[in-house]
């Protein structure tokens, strides 16, 4: 099949516009009730909507507002165990790509990377204390599950599928300060398209 190439208003973010669902999610994390690490499988819904062009002086940013919500398998009719909202941003002039995400647990991350207009892989990293791409968390979590790094990758598999992996590196008080990787990964398929040229899809 020949790939048809045309203008992409949102650069590498363009393929993500729309609504998505994924049923093969895997969360590897520390389970406080069990006192150890374990995997949890999950179902997830996500949407990505274009936002108006953002201008910071001479800087021009294209972007998407997004939300991702996940339910443990067997608990789809209950409250989700994970919810996040944020923005994916791209500056054409410099190739900077940004993931600005807030988790309902009281964590805020601004992670950055580089991407060309038609890149199929977007990588975002952040570390605490970085003046540009850093991590903030509430006091309770800082004392018990200190975040020391964040790494996330979005991969466009094809026109109707994308996958992601997100890793939070933690120092856990419950593990005597040892480090562990809390990792989430899933593959999602598009269930609804939005017009990528509309800021109010």
């Amino acid at each position: 099949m020949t790939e048809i190439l045309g203008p992409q208003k949102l650069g590498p973010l363009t393929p993500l516009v729309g609504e998505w669902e994924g049923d093969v999610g895997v969360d590897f994390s520390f389970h406080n009730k069990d006192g150890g690490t374990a995997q949890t499988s999950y179902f997830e819904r996500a949407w990505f909507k274009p936002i108006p062009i953002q201008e910071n002086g001479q800087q021009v940013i294209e972007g998407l507002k997004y939300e991702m919500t996940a339910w443990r398998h067997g608990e789809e009719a209950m409250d989700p165990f994970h919810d996040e909202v944020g923005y994916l941003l791209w500056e054409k002039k410099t190739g900077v790509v940004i993931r600005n995400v807030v988790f309902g647990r009281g964590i805020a991350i601004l992670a950055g990377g580089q991407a060309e207009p038609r890149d199929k892989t977007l990588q975002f990293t952040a570390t605490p204390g970085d003046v540009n791409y850093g991590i903030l968390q509430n006091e309770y979590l800082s004392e018990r599950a200190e975040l020391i790094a964040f790494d996330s990758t979005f991969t466009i598999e094809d026109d109707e599928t994308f996958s992601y992996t997100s890793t939070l590196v933690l120092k856990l008080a419950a593990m005597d300060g040892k480090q562990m990787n809390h990792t989430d990964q899933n593959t999602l398929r598009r269930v609804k398209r939005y017009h990528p040229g509309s800021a109010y899809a």
Side-chain angles (χ1 to χ4, degrees), residues 3-9 118:
E3 183 178 12
I4 299 174
L5 301 179
Q8 294 197 109
K9 173 180 170 58
R118 297 188 181 279

Side-chain angles (χ1 to χ4, degrees), residues 52-72:
I53 291 175
Q54 307 293 305
E55 296 182 352
N56 298 322
Q58 299 300 311
Q59 184 185 49
V60 178
I61 294 175
E62 312 275 5
L64 302 173
K65 180 188 296 184
Y66 82 91
E67 182 172 348
M68 302 177 79
T69 305
W71 293 260
R72 295 182 181 92

Side-chain angles (χ1 to χ4, degrees), residues 77-181:
M78 302 169 67
D79 287 339
F81 83 103
H82 177 86
D83 183 63
E84 67 179 78
V85 296
Y87 293 90
L88 297 179
L89 307 172
W90 181 66
E91 184 185 14
K92 182 178 181 179
K93 182 178 180 180
T94 62
V96 169
V97 65
I98 298 170
R99 182 177 177 187
N100 183 5
V101 57
V102 178
F103 300 100
R105 299 174 185 273
I107 299 170
I109 298 173
L110 189 67
Q114 293 288 134
E116 296 300 320
R118 297 188 181 279
D119 282 356
K120 300 298 185 182
T121 300
L122 307 175
Q123 188 165 9
F124 311 89
T125 59
T127 53
D130 189 293
V131 297
N132 295 311
Y133 303 117
I135 301 170
L136 294 174
Q137 60 188 134
N138 71 64
E139 186 176 4
Y140 178 91
L141 290 176
S142 292
E143 294 173 352
R144 294 165 176 80
E146 181 186 357
L147 277 166
I148 59 175
F150 173 78
D151 183 81
S152 177
T153 302
F154 281 65
T155 302
I156 309 302
E157 306 289 353
D158 56 47
D159 190 48
E160 299 297 324
T161 312
F162 86 92
S163 61
Y164 73 84
T165 300
S166 291
T167 299
L168 295 164
V169 183
L170 309 167
K171 289 175 64 176
L172 288 174
M175 295 176 61
D176 299 321
K178 293 181 180 178
Q179 291 185 20
M180 72 148 291
N181 291 352

